[in-house]
Amino acid sequence: MSLKNKKILLGITGSISAYKAAYLSRLLVKEGAEVQVIMTAFAAEFITPLTMSTLSQHPVKMSTHDKKTGEWSSHVEMGNWADLLLIAPASLNTMGKMAHGIADNLLVTTYMAAKCPVIIAPAMDLDMYKHPANIENMNMLKARGCHFIEPGEGELASGLCGKGRLAEPEIIIQELNDFFQQKQALKKKTFLVTAGPTYEKIDPVRFVGNFSSGKMGFAIAEKLAKNGADVILITGPTVLSAQHQSIQRLDVTSASEMYDACMQYFPNVDVAIMSAAVADFTPVTLDDEKIKRGKENQNIQLVPTKDIAAELGKIKKKSQLLIGFALETNNETQNASEKIKKKNLDFIVLNSLKDEGAGFNLNTNKVSIIDKSGEIIKFKLKSKNEVASDIVNKIVNDIKTIK
Ligand code: CTP
């Protein structure tokens, strides 16, 4: 029960899904949290303050002062009181105001003054959700450290179908529990995460590479940083950008550059997660000039690269965790289990190319986590963000046992 005695400030904004905030508030109280509610004027068009004050067991705040009594509701005081500001549902309008500092109501003013973590659960129509203005606003808020609980996909109140419905209250509660647990365990820990492919140059314009996009590694880095960890992200070539300010990004191209960077940073981290798809072979020679057509056959001789994970495994201290990935096409569990031993890993995240929705360049993944003790946890097909949560949860568990 990580929500017990937690002081949660619940912000409700104008969205048809505001009705779910009633049940959410009830669940928070059941979990042992103390809940205070701030509603925007538009939220009160969808759900009554009376419902929310009854369920939260506190009077609902809607403006900086009560016109009748002249009583002042201090946004600074409320921001200081809270262990967490949860805005659910968060409308496009409110997120826009938060991103741009337009503090024209009690909720946004309190957000501006709050020193506590902020979790935002957006809800809106699918086209509004993916509008560039909204995406940019959400990215701004993410970069400033706000956490997001992604909306669900499915039928929307508008009758359209897509992404935009407020995450179910049970999911929000789960995310909050994870947040408080992870925050405790990951605070002041340093992680090394590798991501993306490596490119092994053949000549000035060509390389041997692979289809890795870096999405999984970036999702893990973001998840860790959001939960208070410092992250060194060593990435091969990718179009992705890291959002969180606690992520220190280092760009490398080849397996050998990735090896050097990992060897430099590994001794000072608590955990290393090797999600990069490192080339296993590299050309023996690098042509200075572009190789010309004309020859009947062209052979490129390749030699093995260094196995970065295995090298880190050799110098790993008892206080460190080393986590690998395995992408297999056959004998998956056996191959992955052998890699745990060969590379001295603590656990390995296995994905099989046979599983639909798993693998390179997709937004989803289906993984199993195999522990060095032999224990296997199989997960269903999920978004890469959710898979990152599962991996981080496992790390949080394991961190407790290494110190
Ligand atoms: N890995 C690494 N350095 C390499 C190759 C792989 O650090 N030169 C890491 C990957 O980042 C991953 C794990 O080792 O965490 C397993 O990678 P994978 O490609 O599945 O295994 P390999 O050891 O390369 O074996 P194979 O390709 O033969 O399956």
Side-chain angles (χ1 to χ4, degrees):
M1 283 265 282
S2 51
L3 297 183
K4 196 162 168 47
N5 298 330
K6 288 279 179 305
K7 297 189 178 91
I8 313 274
L9 199 52
L10 173 62
I12 307 173
T13 73
S15 156
I16 182 67
S17 63
Y19 76 92
K20 287 188 189 172
Y23 184 44
L24 175 61
S25 171
R26 175 100 191 84
L27 290 181
L28 285 167
V29 171
K30 258 175 115 176
E31 291 273 319
E34 194 179 337
V35 183
Q36 287 214 58
V37 174
I38 300 180
M39 291 172 80
T40 64
F42 203 27
E45 305 273 323
F46 290 98
I47 183 164
T48 70
L50 180 62
T51 306
M52 291 315 304
S53 61
T54 311
L55 291 171
S56 68
Q57 301 169 355
H58 283 287
V60 167
K61 304 270 169 46
M62 285 189 61
S63 64
T64 45
H65 63 284
D66 187 316
K67 279 193 184 119
K68 278 188 214 139
T69 62
E71 200 188 322
W72 172 249
S73 296
S74 168
H75 52 283
V76 176
E77 226 167 72
M78 272 191 289
N80 283 340
W81 170 83
D83 294 316
L84 175 80
L85 170 60
L86 167 67
I87 306 184
S91 65
L92 175 132
N93 190 37
T94 293
M95 290 195 290
K97 287 183 191 175
M98 288 164 70
H100 296 278
I102 303 168
D104 65 352
N105 63 31
L106 181 62
L107 178 58
V108 183
T109 322
T110 306
Y111 158 72
M112 292 301 192
K115 292 191 186 73
C116 61
V118 179
I119 298 189
I120 300 171
M124 68 198 71
D125 212 43
L126 76 162
D127 293 311
M128 290 164 78
Y129 185 72
K130 62 185 182 205
H131 193 285
N134 185 47
I135 301 291
E136 277 171 33
N137 288 340
M138 290 198 299
N139 284 342
M140 263 170 153
L141 293 170
K142 278 179 197 166
R144 287 184 207 145
C146 292
H147 305 252
F148 276 78
I149 301 177
E150 280 198 34
E153 286 194 37
E155 201 181 310
L156 303 168
S158 61
L160 297 172
C161 204
K163 188 168 179 172
R165 58 202 257 183
L166 179 66
E168 293 308 320
E170 288 84 354
I171 291 185
I172 297 178
I173 295 287
Q174 183 57 49
E175 290 268 351
L176 262 51
N177 270 310
D178 287 356
F179 172 79
F180 282 114
Q181 265 171 24
Q182 291 176 358
K183 192 123 199 109
Q184 213 40 45
L186 302 182
K187 214 166 24 186
K188 299 207 176 82
K189 294 266 185 301
T190 307
F191 286 73
L192 186 160
V193 179
T194 66
T198 64
Y199 287 179
E200 309 302 316
K201 271 189 169 176
I202 300 167
D203 69 14
V205 294
R206 302 181 182 94
F207 60 85
V208 181
N210 60 65
F211 294 119
S212 169
S213 61
K215 282 179 185 163
M216 195 62 249
F218 273 66
I220 293 169
E222 292 291 345
K223 189 84 201 166
L224 290 167
K226 268 184 185 177
N227 286 294
D230 287 322
V231 183
I232 297 155
L233 175 63
I234 300 175
T235 178
T238 171
V239 294
L240 301 176
S241 53
Q243 304 285 339
H244 202 285
Q245 56 205 14
S246 300
I247 300 175
Q248 182 192 345
R249 172 184 176 153
L250 289 157
D251 285 276
V252 295
T253 306
S254 63
S256 136
E257 284 171 22
M258 191 172 273
Y259 170 80
D260 289 343
C262 287
M263 291 304 276
Q264 184 188 337
Y265 287 96
F266 182 66
N268 297 319
V269 302
D270 298 289
V271 182
I273 305 168
M274 315 304 289
S275 59
V278 188
D280 288 329
F281 294 95
T282 191
V284 180
T285 52
L286 166 61
D287 269 85
D288 290 339
E289 307 296 341
K290 187 181 163 199
I291 301 169
K292 290 288 181 197
R293 74 158 67 235
K295 277 195 203 162
E296 191 133 314
N297 288 312
Q298 177 70 49
N299 292 315
I300 299 166
Q301 206 190 340
L302 301 169
V303 285
T305 55
K306 282 196 187 130
D307 185 332
I308 304 171
E311 293 302 317
L312 299 187
K314 283 181 200 162
I315 57 168
K316 185 176 78 170
K317 291 176 275 198
K318 275 204 177 113
S319 59
Q320 289 178 305
L321 289 178
L322 180 61
I323 293 139
F325 272 71
L327 178 63
E328 304 290 341
T329 54
N330 63 321
N331 285 337
E332 291 93 336
T333 309
Q334 195 191 328
N335 288 343
S337 304
E338 280 165 13
K339 282 176 190 168
I340 296 181
K341 288 208 183 75
K342 207 171 101 195
K343 303 181 192 226
N344 191 21
L345 305 173
D346 292 277
F347 68 82
I348 198 159
V349 182
L350 162 67
N351 38 120
S352 166
L353 269 191
K354 278 188 194 149
D355 285 323
E356 207 175 310
F360 289 145
N361 235 321
L362 300 169
N363 290 322
T364 52
N365 206 354
K366 185 166 187 280
V367 305
S368 301
I369 291 181
I370 309 178
D371 191 83
K372 63 182 177 199
S373 66
E375 188 197 22
I376 304 181
I377 316 166
K378 291 187 173 164
F379 296 91
K380 58 182 177 40
L381 184 72
K382 294 181 177 191
S383 73
K384 283 191 174 163
N385 283 335
E386 288 172 297
V387 174
S389 288
D390 292 333
I391 295 167
V392 172
N393 282 340
K394 165 78 177 147
I395 293 170
V396 167
N397 259 324
D398 288 10
I399 278 180
K400 286 183 209 144
T401 60
I402 55 168
K403 285 269 160 79

